Amino acid sequence: MNKFRFVFAAILTLSIVITGCASKEADKSTSAAATPSSKKETSYEGLTVNIGVQGSGGLFGKAREEKWFEQEFEKLGVKVAWAEFQSGPPMTEAMASNRLDFAGLGNMPVVAAQAAGIPFKIISEALDGKNNVAIIVKKNSSIKSITDLKGKKVAVAKGSNAFNFLYRGLETGGLKGTDIEAIQLQPDEAQAAFETGGVDAWATWDPYITLNTLTDKGTVLADGGQLGVLSPSFYIVRQEFADKYPDLVTLYLKVLEKSRLWEDSHLEEAQKRYAAEYKVPLPVIQGMRTRSTGINIPVADDVVAELQKTADFQFEVKNIRKKIDVSKVVDNQFITEALKNKLP
């Protein structure tokens, strides 16, 4: 199942898990902050932009193959370096040490990074988070609603988007965290426990949702859209980079939008490409897209409000050490400009 967890992270550019590190390429490249301009602040001389991705394919795969980012940035004399990660938290850690300028990641790493004082800005929304995280049960389970989870064993990966979704979801059914027996398991272990009946339910993300529903091993008890508990993902930029090079932030989003539009207009080709890249059945790729289609739009007020609920909850359960105002890190000026003047 490891390959499927990797697929999700690669295709959506974000996921929603906990470990990993920067690639050797990122370590060798010169970050924007580590290479201050010898001329004016607006000069790009000697500048290398470090772009973080989760996995080597997916949405960014075509762009990297065609060198769309390199072509546009090199027009300004700016080089591009790529850094591959397995999840979001290592991305924010790399940003904190000035080794990464751009990243795409889920709501949990964003909240944790802000609480840790890492300087960054959210520059667009990457995923609406309605259906990409869910609680699943066996197809013949007697559990039919959230309230039926009382006294049951529920598998979940602590610190993941699913962890946040599960505990906030319980509240919608009038339950508390103490009303269930949470079994802390990573996806590989949780899959086995789910299949053998070691747990009664599983709070997880795609591709595990799609894999289990496609094979009739499980069914969705509730997802974000049903409970009103969303797990959105975002594109972020290192704060110092945005302050120094705002035009390059806009350019990054323009090329990203070009990549997204290519996928939309070549969907069959793109999905076959993804299936071949990661050696998984095409229906898995197709199913994942129906649950979570990538976007690149300004962060709306209701999304900010939902992210604030996540931050407040994480503070209440002591996963973060201080209260934060998530609106302080949201900056829509770059995506607004990027969408006004799209690349051909």
Side-chain angles (χ1 to χ4, degrees), residues 158 311-322:
K158 186 174 182 180
D312 293 342
F313 173 77
Q314 292 304 316
F315 177 73
E316 289 173 11
V317 298
K318 304 186 186 307
N319 277 346
I320 59 175
R321 297 182 179 180
K322 66 177 182 180

Side-chain angles (χ1 to χ4, degrees), residues 182-208:
I183 309 297
Q184 308 289 346
L185 296 173
Q186 289 301 312
D188 293 350
E189 300 169 313
Q191 180 66 52
F194 183 73
E195 290 183 17
T196 60
V199 295
D200 302 298
W202 181 13
T204 189
W205 52 86
D206 244 338
Y208 302 102

Side-chain angles (χ1 to χ4, degrees), residues 135 143-151 164-180 221-223 226-229:
I135 300 170
I143 300 172
K144 305 299 181 184
S145 69
I146 290 295
T147 55
D148 292 337
L149 290 174
K150 186 171 184 178
N164 177 73
F165 174 76
L166 171 61
Y167 282 89
R168 287 189 56 199
L170 290 174
E171 293 181 347
T172 69
L175 300 181
K176 299 178 181 179
T178 53
D179 288 327
I180 66 167
L221 176 69
D223 61 23
Q226 295 167 336
L227 298 185
V229 178

Side-chain angles (χ1 to χ4, degrees), residues 95-109:
M95 250 182 209
S97 58
N98 296 336
R99 294 183 293 113
L100 192 66
D101 301 312
F102 293 100
L105 65 174
N107 60 345
M108 283 289 290

Side-chain angles (χ1 to χ4, degrees), residues 216-260:
D216 285 334
K217 293 177 181 177
T219 186
V220 173
L221 176 69
D223 61 23
Q226 295 167 336
L227 298 185
V229 178
L230 308 185
S231 303
S233 292
F234 305 95
Y235 293 106
I236 69 173
V237 65
R238 188 168 53 83
Q239 176 71 67
E240 185 180 3
F241 185 95
D243 292 341
K244 284 186 176 182
Y245 311 112
D247 290 347
L248 296 187
V249 179
T250 300
L251 182 58
Y252 166 83
L253 291 171
K254 285 184 177 182
V255 184
L256 182 61
E257 182 65 5
K258 178 178 180 177
S259 303
R260 192 192 64 80

Side-chain angles (χ1 to χ4, degrees), residues 31-45:
S31 87
T35 313
S37 171
S38 58
K39 296 182 180 180
K40 297 179 180 179
E41 202 171 70
T42 54
S43 171
Y44 303 135
E45 182 179 350

